Amino acid sequence: MKPLSRRSALTLGGLGLASTVAGGAGLLWSQQTASPSATSSGFGAPSGDPLVQPPELRSADGRLKVRLDAAPGDVKISGRGATVLSYNGGVPGPTLRVQAGDTLNVSLHNGLNDPSNLHVHGLHVSPSDNGDNMFVTVKAGESFDYEYQLPPDHPPGVYWYHPHHHGFVADQVFGGLYGAIIVEDPTPIRATRERVLVISDITLDSLGRIPPVTPSEQMAGREGQLVLVNGQVNPVMTARPGERERWRIVNACVSRYLRLRLDGQELQLLGIDSGRFQTPGDVDEVVLLPGNRADLLVTAVSGTSIFQTLPYDRGGPNGMMGGMMGGGAGPSGQDAQSNPRGFSVATLTVSGDAMTALSAVPEQAVPPDLRSRPVTARRELTFGMGMGGMRGGSMMSFTINKEVFDADRTDTTVQADSIEEWTLTNTSQMDHPLHLHVWPMQLVEENGRAVELVVRQDVVNVPAGGRVKVRIAFDDFAGRTVYHCHILDHEDNGMMGVIEAK
Ligand code: C2O
Ligand code: CU
Ligand code: CU
């Protein structure tokens, strides 16, 4: 495997960056589309509070049993009351820690006013029955018992859970319904401490309520005016020089691409999604599409570093976003957390006596390179935007192969245990991050260029006007599930298809 280049911007094919463009395009255009009242709501004031970890629930004797209550409720953000949605009263919900081979039981209780359900994003588990079944509806006031059986060779790494009821996904995730899942390493990796960092975004008005989404925000894919980590605005972390921290990062934003930096510290990327590198590579920057996760090692260096997310230009419908970009923050005064160059997510302060360095990370097991395997079938998916079809109006519609989602139609039938190559073409002027359930993808080609880095990821970018190729091993499970754009507004408006493996 080709090693990651040393101290350079990470080029992970569909994850993003060919180079780090200084002063590049891609201002935070959501800030111009949002209601002016929200920009001065005051929720963005950094609190200086220490980063809080979500509660952790850990499996024992091969099983973890969890009850998740999804409900509206009040939380504190930047010390002020906000009315959001949460699992078990927290944003994010509890972190679920399991091991390969475990059984995870989740009893979901829907205390929302709308239908919901649960998805375990990235887990390689059965999509049938009471497994990771996308066709389950849990009506308001009802409950459902899920059981996920992780195979004994399930890849370690960072995963997450969130609602997945078509038509309600963006609202419910934006509202605060998400949590991390960690599949532990078969052989522990030494670190001084581990942090779970669930990054999300949200917009709150001056009363702490989430304003209704507008059709143009849905078209673009809504981006919140606040970027939260573990439900906090710019919290503080501290460490001593030489300490090695393990950061488990989840991009739980509905639409926002995260371009994460932590200048001044030493970063090594252990893996993305269910993909692991044999040896972690040094990186300066990690791009996470909506739904992606990073497993990152941070070796602390004296000083104060801002963990920030920089703007990312993901295009816009019909080029209209071009006109909205370049304005910078509104005159009403953006909250202190953000500026046209990005958002500070958290601050890391490193001081004190130096610790002795920990030993190098042992070689990690990596999945086979699917480029060396025979392809049994080829398929094309085309992502498009057209007029008509959006809920409640004749706005843009979002399609895959010219169809909007229909749960009763099976769009793609694949043979279990086969290896397919999919060509993903985007005819629209904005990027679409494609997510496939159950089976991770290996990006092999991007706009005609071969991708050498071997990594299994479950969300890949299909750039505006571009074309990428992925290979997929349909291992282990038969059943019906979905693939979709992980800009959840696009998914809710039809950019999703049904796949069946048999
Ligand atoms: Cu993260 Cu189909 O979802
Ligand atoms: Cu998923
Ligand atoms: Cu999309």
Side-chain angles (χ1 to χ4, degrees), residues 119-122 134 160-164 169 173 290-291 293 435-437 458-459 481-486 488 491 496:
H119 169 45
V120 284
H121 179 129
M134 286 308 99
W160 64 300
Y161 57 90
H162 63 80
H164 213 290
V169 185
V173 170
R293 292 84 59 208
H435 172 49
L436 170 64
H437 286 211
D458 49 58
V459 188
T481 187
V482 293
Y483 48 83
H484 58 89
C485 177
H486 216 289
L488 297 172
E491 173 275 310
M496 175 153 70

Side-chain angles (χ1 to χ4, degrees), residues 63-381:
R63 189 178 290 272
L64 176 59
K65 281 183 124 174
V66 177
R67 174 180 167 139
L68 288 180
D69 281 281
D74 293 333
V75 295
K76 283 250 190 299
I77 294 176
S78 283
R80 304 180 53 181
T83 305
V84 299
L85 308 178
S86 73
Y87 287 121
N88 298 358
V91 175
T95 300
L96 313 182
R97 286 187 174 269
V98 294
Q99 300 188 16
D102 281 355
T103 304
L104 170 61
N105 293 94
V106 180
S107 178
L108 175 71
H109 292 248
N110 182 4
L112 307 168
N113 300 316
D114 291 310
S116 193
N117 62 13
L118 195 74
H119 169 45
V120 284
H121 179 129
L123 285 191
H124 183 57
V125 293
S126 167
S128 305
D129 307 318
N130 62 341
D132 193 25
N133 185 338
M134 286 308 99
F135 305 98
V136 166
T137 295
V138 186
K139 292 192 194 126
E142 297 191 347
S143 62
F144 189 84
D145 292 335
Y146 289 93
E147 181 167 296
Y148 311 103
Q149 177 64 58
L150 277 69
D153 59 349
H154 193 289
V158 192
Y159 303 87
W160 64 300
Y161 57 90
H162 63 80
H164 213 290
H165 195 287
H166 181 63
F168 297 90
V169 185
D171 280 351
Q172 292 181 2
V173 170
F174 199 69
L177 295 174
Y178 38 76
I181 301 172
I182 308 282
V183 179
E184 306 284 6
D185 301 310
T187 311
I189 292 173
R190 287 187 70 199
T192 318
R193 71 181 64 79
E194 196 168 314
R195 305 184 194 265
V196 170
L197 301 165
V198 180
I199 302 176
S200 61
D201 59 359
I202 195 168
T203 301
L204 296 168
D205 66 17
S206 56
L207 295 174
R209 294 165 313 198
I210 299 169
V213 67
T214 65
S216 68
E217 286 174 304
Q218 285 182 299
M219 246 189 289
R222 74 189 78 176
E223 293 194 3
Q225 291 172 352
L226 299 172
V227 174
L228 306 179
V229 56
N230 298 350
Q232 298 175 277
V233 175
N234 201 0
V236 176
M237 297 174 269
T238 55
R240 286 166 62 181
E243 283 185 327
R244 183 201 278 158
E245 301 200 341
R246 176 106 177 248
W247 289 15
R248 313 278 208 161
I249 307 170
V250 179
N251 184 356
C253 298
V254 165
S255 316
R256 183 184 298 278
Y257 285 44
L258 296 174
R259 205 178 131 197
L260 299 167
R261 295 187 69 96
L262 182 67
D263 293 346
Q265 305 297 317
E266 284 175 20
L267 311 182
Q268 291 178 300
L269 190 64
L270 203 55
I272 291 280
D273 296 355
S274 54
R276 236 334 124 97
F277 303 111
Q278 205 159 42
T279 312
D282 294 358
V283 293
D284 285 335
E285 184 166 308
V286 178
V287 173
L288 294 183
L289 310 172
N292 279 143
R293 292 84 59 208
D295 207 328
L296 191 70
L297 296 172
V298 177
T299 303
V301 177
S302 282
T304 294
S305 296
I306 307 294
F307 184 43
Q308 59 177 335
T309 183
L310 296 179
Y312 185 103
D313 181 9
R314 56 183 179 87
N318 283 343
M320 64 178 286
M321 287 313 177
M324 297 166 127
M325 286 163 53
S332 60
Q334 193 60 39
D335 284 321
Q337 184 198 12
S338 75
N339 65 56
R341 303 273 307 125
F343 283 77
S344 52
V345 177
T347 303
L348 173 66
T349 302
V350 181
S351 61
D353 295 337
M355 305 290 292
T356 32
L358 295 177
S359 51
V361 173
E363 276 206 351
Q364 300 291 297
V366 294
D369 183 348
L370 296 181
R371 291 175 304 176
S372 63
R373 296 291 176 90
V375 168
T376 34
R378 294 192 151 79
R379 219 173 277 283
E380 297 200 12
L381 300 187

